[in-house]
Amino acid sequence: MSGAVGVKICGLTEEVGVAACIDCRADWIGFNFFSRSPRYVTPERARELAAIVKAAAFQPVIVGLFVEPSEQEIERALAHAPVVVMQLYASPERALVLRERFGLPTWLSCPVSDAADLPAEGRFERLVVESRPPKDATRPGGNGVAFPWAITADWAAPSPWMLAGGLRPDTVAQAIAESGAVAVDVASGVERSPGVKDPHAIRRFIAAARDKNATESAFPLESRGDAAI
Ligand SMILES: O=C(O)c1ccccc1N[C@@H]1O[C@H](COP(=O)(O)O)[C@@H](O)[C@H]1O
């Protein structure tokens, strides 16, 4: 396993979780603006939590997660919180419109169950390759469900990508080894209960995702921000 794995911790709702991400040098932290998620934060709350990042010497890049958002919803989030990257759950066509409208690096969620689902086109700064939600799911992500990681091993990825879905501190190293991912994303796998992050689990997850000797990923800040469009 390489020391260059990038890590995103998603769905921060409390100061202690943000502090753990800074301390462990997470590359990205995600604020979840989907109101039906247990990880939802209002734009005002996201601003409060982002202030901790802004005061830190090491600053994870702030990602805003939106599900089928209206322009007004994104506008309101951006008016309060210093979101650097938009992570979108939307059709590629709609995501391109929003990317053009807001001029922010944009990550598109790509739900997969098998190799046939892997995207061939890469029109975004990053693709978040994650498990297709179960049929009875109430949200498109954050369900703690994994897909067969090996399906991405031989995939000719059309753009940078990130592995997500059901990752945990005790499985992330194997997931990286099997999938070939150089970046990973987790929400429920580092929580005490839905929406409440466990700082120890965050620490264990990041240590497991990276080479034991690496204290931070090899993603320089410019590339973590995925460069402005
Ligand atoms: O976390 C959520 O509640 C959520 C809601 C709606 C869309 C996406 C959501 N989370 C994203 O899904 C991945 C995987 O989650 P998990 O690790 O399986 O719990 C997560 O990293 C978020 O990017």
Side-chain angles (χ1 to χ4, degrees):
M1 184 173 56
S2 137
V5 172
V7 180
K8 169 169 167 269
I9 307 291
C10 196
L12 279 305
T13 60
E14 297 183 313
E15 284 77 358
V16 68
V18 175
C21 291
I22 293 168
D23 197 36
C24 300
R25 298 183 167 242
D27 297 274
W28 303 277
I29 61 169
F31 292 131
N32 189 323
F33 295 112
F34 179 52
S35 62
R36 298 206 301 277
S37 169
R39 305 169 185 102
Y40 171 69
V41 284
T42 62
E44 290 81 359
R45 179 63 177 147
R47 178 172 56 194
E48 287 174 4
L49 295 171
I52 303 169
V53 174
K54 293 293 160 199
F58 177 86
Q59 301 187 1
V61 167
I62 296 176
V63 178
L65 185 158
F66 301 92
V67 177
E68 305 286 353
S70 64
E71 289 193 13
Q72 292 75 8
E73 186 182 337
I74 299 180
E75 267 165 19
R76 201 171 110 63
L78 299 186
H80 290 85
V83 168
V84 175
V85 173
M86 294 190 296
Q87 178 179 344
L88 299 181
Y89 289 74
S91 69
E93 294 69 29
R94 173 75 178 147
L96 283 173
V97 169
L98 294 171
R99 177 175 179 266
E100 178 72 19
R101 163 73 179 82
F102 292 100
L104 287 179
T106 300
W107 299 358
L108 183 69
S109 165
C110 303
V112 304
S113 338
D114 55 39
D117 294 328
L118 292 168
E121 275 191 80
R123 292 177 285 174
F124 299 91
E125 279 64 30
R126 191 174 295 274
L127 299 171
V128 182
V129 177
E130 61 184 286
S131 320
R132 194 173 288 287
K135 285 203 168 43
D136 57 349
T138 57
R139 50 183 182 268
N143 293 303
V145 175
F147 66 88
W149 300 312
I151 66 172
T152 57
D154 297 323
W155 174 46
S159 66
W161 67 284
M162 169 177 277
L163 176 69
L167 301 176
R168 299 193 314 260
D170 57 330
T171 61
V172 65
Q174 189 189 347
I176 291 165
E178 287 187 19
S179 66
V182 297
V184 291
D185 182 13
V186 62
S188 59
V190 291
E191 291 181 338
R192 284 188 220 288
S193 59
V196 181
K197 292 286 184 278
D198 176 349
H200 301 293
I202 290 174
R203 183 174 298 280
R204 283 172 44 231
F205 185 91
I206 295 178
R210 292 185 182 147
D211 180 72
K212 287 187 184 57
N213 298 317
T215 54
E216 59 191 87
S217 84
F219 280 64
L221 181 60
E222 315 81 78
S223 73
R224 280 187 281 130
D226 276 337
I229 297 164

